[in-house]
Amino acid sequence: MSRLSDLRFRAATAFQRRVGNPVLRRLPLQTVLETTGRVSGLPRPTPVGGRRVGNSFWLVSEFGERSQYVRNIKADPRVRVRIRGRWHTGTAHLLPDDDPVARLRSLPRFNSMGVRAFGTDLLTVRVDLDG
């Protein structure tokens, strides 16, 4: 990873951890991905942008396998997603062969702009929702 990419990663994750995520995850209509902490076993809610298509929810991780929620998914793919205020259980799949830039074009524009601007290692994630 280049020095600039590392700096962008550290700055963005510090802001998200301390400011963005604590505020956004409390908003009732914010989409939230809840994973299980791979060490603690506790629920880890993360505000995300994405879109439900049928029985799947699609999103793009801006930092790929460096994202804490991606690391949690690798340890336990069972997740919950809050979409429009309603929780859904599902199984997350990391899709390294998917084109994340093309995928972002089909997801909500505002979030996609942020992911493209700050992301250093984009990774598509699909959550297959139960029932």
Side-chain angles (χ1 to χ4, degrees):
M1 174 173 286
S2 75
R3 188 167 181 199
L4 177 60
S5 292
D6 188 54
L7 180 62
R8 284 171 49 192
F9 170 76
R10 288 189 295 143
T13 56
F15 175 80
Q16 289 168 345
R17 188 176 303 121
R18 292 178 179 82
V19 180
N21 291 357
V23 172
L24 290 174
R25 71 175 158 241
R26 287 178 174 77
L27 298 176
L29 295 180
Q30 171 66 48
T31 302
V32 174
L33 174 69
E34 185 182 83
T35 60
T36 300
R38 64 194 173 281
V39 175
S40 69
L42 297 173
R44 297 297 181 199
T46 304
V48 296
R51 175 167 284 142
R52 183 175 182 165
V53 179
N55 284 331
S56 295
F57 182 80
W58 293 84
L59 67 130
V60 174
S61 168
E62 60 195 327
F63 299 114
E65 296 200 14
R66 290 183 76 184
S67 294
Q68 296 300 317
Y69 69 87
V70 169
R71 295 171 72 187
N72 289 341
I73 287 169
K74 288 177 80 172
D76 181 0
R78 298 293 303 158
V79 300
R80 293 193 323 152
V81 183
R82 187 179 72 193
I83 305 168
R84 295 188 183 114
R86 184 167 172 246
W87 285 101
H88 305 269
T89 59
T91 304
H93 303 276
L94 306 177
L95 304 172
D97 294 331
D98 190 65
D99 181 349
V101 174
R103 182 69 56 194
L104 284 170
R105 289 189 210 108
S106 69
L107 300 178
R109 182 173 291 165
F110 183 73
N111 180 75
S112 295
M113 287 179 356
V115 170
R116 274 194 297 270
F118 296 106
T120 57
D121 187 21
L122 305 181
L123 175 65
T124 302
V125 179
R126 184 188 77 231
V127 178
D128 293 334
L129 304 172
D130 299 336

